[in-house]
Amino acid sequence: MKIGNGPCLTRRGALTGGLLLAAGGARAQAAYPDRPIRLVVPFLAGGGGDTLSRLTIGPAQARLGQNFVVDNRPGAGGNVGAELAARAAPDGYTLFYGTNGTHAINEALYPRLGFRPHEDFTPVAPLSRIVLVVLVKRDMPVQTLPELIAWLKANPGKATYGSAGNGTTGHIAAEMFRMAAGVEILHVPYRGNAAAMTDLAGGRIDMAIELIPAAFAAMQNEAVRTLAVTSAEPLATHPNLPTVASVLPGFQVSAWDGIFAPAGTPAPIIARLNAAFTEGLRDEAMVGALRTRGAEPAPAMSPDAFAAFIAAERVRWGAAVRASGAQIG
């Protein structure tokens, strides 16, 4: 009897131990997060991307009950920060503020990356969609987009356009514009969009096609002349600005951003984060601040739906990069 009962007791003990472990794991996940979360932002502090990241994480912080510590790691079109975040522990305490640059453009632009955009990250939630604007310096002898295109055609190769750097959304968007309009413009890459906007306002470059959040201050101060937006329809916040598509039919460009976690982050943590960010995008004050800056809150998506969206964007932006002939490295 003693021998016969031994294995039964062992199985019962194993079962009890397994239940205790499962309960302990559930308690650990339920407690997440129990300390501040680092958010790696691959842009300079004070720039457009940094501003948007700080705006959109605010409501999520309240829902998670923990602060985010923004860790700015600019460089190489977002690749420096992305590589750092990709190597972080997949425990939910390091997240990444990714964009169409880091997750749809760069693999077509750079022959070698120190990370794999689609294998090293798990998409968590989209944040916003961002429109771009066509800007010129104040003393450029044009008042409208048709006048700009006519001037560029009459002066091939004489105008310069600035961007936040090689391979950034503004760079690729300007190349798409150049090809659609049939004009020649010289690219001047900067280290961040703040520097590009400073030189455009100072008249040291002629034009830019930039994300509205990055151009917002210069537009508000009328330090530059704004000619058009790159959305399919005029923006409710800037109703007097025509679309590029009204002059170049079919032209439409918008950027996007979102939250990513290192691959291998547990699914319950991903779900918790997705809920916090999705609910946060309903915050009226934050939505108003986004719209003022030319951005819209992204539609709610599950992590899987966000991954499918990124896969389609990867194809679209990759084709744009290849058509432009741009490559770095």
Side-chain angles (χ1 to χ4, degrees), residues 91 162 176 227 236 268:
D91 57 6
M176 294 166 70
L227 302 184

Side-chain angles (χ1 to χ4, degrees), residues 272-311:
R272 175 102 165 89
L273 289 166
N274 177 270
F277 280 101
T278 300
E279 292 166 9
L281 289 178
R282 302 189 188 107
D283 182 90
E284 292 184 5
M286 189 270 288
V287 170
L290 279 180
R291 287 177 173 157
T292 299
R293 289 163 173 78
E296 285 286 332
M301 295 185 194
S302 67
D304 286 345
F306 187 29
F309 167 79
I310 294 166

Side-chain angles (χ1 to χ4, degrees), residues 148-149 151-161 174-175 177-179 181-187 206-207:
L148 172 63
I149 293 172
W151 190 93
L152 293 172
K153 287 184 175 180
N155 298 273
K158 292 184 179 179
T160 54
Y161 76 88
E175 286 298 304
F177 171 81
R178 181 185 63 78
M179 291 185 290
V183 297
E184 291 300 322
I185 331 169
L186 301 177
H187 180 215
D206 298 304
M207 62 174 290

Side-chain angles (χ1 to χ4, degrees), residues 118-167:
H118 307 284
E119 290 83 3
D120 292 345
F121 287 98
T122 297
V124 173
L127 294 177
S128 64
R129 306 283 178 85
I130 309 121
V131 173
L132 295 86
V133 281
V134 180
L135 308 161
V136 297
K137 63 183 181 180
R138 292 293 306 174
D139 60 356
M140 191 81 168
V142 300
Q143 298 292 327
T144 66
L145 184 63
E147 289 178 1
L148 172 63
I149 293 172
W151 190 93
L152 293 172
K153 287 184 175 180
N155 298 273
K158 292 184 179 179
T160 54
Y161 76 88
S163 78
N166 287 316

